[in-house]
Amino acid sequence: MVSRASGASGCRYFAHIGCYPLGVRDVLLVPNMHWRIAHRFSEVEGRPFSNPSLAGQRMDVALQEIEFRLDRSGAELRTEAKQYCMPIPVCYVGDAPFLLLIKKHGAERPYFVMWVDNAELLQQRDTPASRPEKQTDVGDDGIKME
C-alpha cells in the first residue's frame, strides 16, 4: 500500500509513514478499508492435547476472526479467538451410599435432603415387567383419578 503525504514541498510517496515525520500542515491520504477475515487452524483441530490434565480431550474447532476498519476518523481492530472442545462423557453410578440434595436455582438452602444407604427405597431397572400397574380411583364426584 502506498500512502501520499502532501506538504509545503509538494507530494511525496512512501511505503512507510515513519520515513517522514508529518508536520502540522501536512495531509495524509489513506484509503477507507473495512474487512473481516475468519481463519480456522485446521493443523491443530482434532489433535489430542499433550497436557496430562486434559488427557482424552481434543480441540474440535480452532477459529480466529479479525475485523479491521480504517477511515478518516481512525482505525478500529476487533479480534476474537474461539476454541471448542467436546466434553469427555462421564458416567455417574449410584452403586454406593450417597447424599441427595435438591434445591432451587439460586437458593441458599436445599428444600430436600436424603441420605440413601440401603436398597429399601430403590426400584429395579425400568423394564416392562418391573413397572407397577396403574391404579384407578374414582372420587366422590365420579371422576377417575390416576
Side-chain angles (χ1 to χ4, degrees), residues 5-117:
S6 174
S9 61
C11 293
R12 295 184 224 145
Y13 292 92
F14 50 91
H16 191 301
I17 295 174
C19 297
Y20 302 99
L22 294 175
V24 176
R25 297 179 56 207
D26 292 338
V27 175
L28 175 64
L29 300 175
V30 295
N32 290 339
M33 288 192 281
H34 190 188
W35 48 264
R36 183 177 183 194
I37 295 176
H39 178 73
R40 286 187 67 172
F41 294 88
S42 57
E43 62 272 14
V44 298
E45 293 180 347
R47 296 180 57 198
F49 290 107
S50 57
N51 186 330
S53 66
L54 299 173
Q57 291 188 12
R58 67 173 199 262
M59 186 172 306
D60 292 306
V61 176
L63 174 71
Q64 182 176 21
E65 295 177 352
I66 301 171
E67 184 174 1
F68 180 74
R69 181 195 54 79
L70 177 68
D71 59 26
R72 66 189 302 169
S73 65
E76 183 179 1
L77 174 66
R78 294 182 188 174
T79 184
E80 183 177 5
K82 299 176 184 177
Q83 305 90 25
Y84 300 104
C85 300
M86 295 300 290
I88 298 173
V90 179
C91 182
Y92 297 97
V93 179
D95 60 355
F98 61 93
L99 180 66
L100 176 64
L101 282 111
I102 302 175
K103 72 174 195 166
K104 286 189 174 185
H105 182 73
E108 286 186 34
R109 297 182 181 169
Y111 63 87
F112 181 81
V113 178
M114 177 182 181
W115 177 253
V116 180
D117 65 354

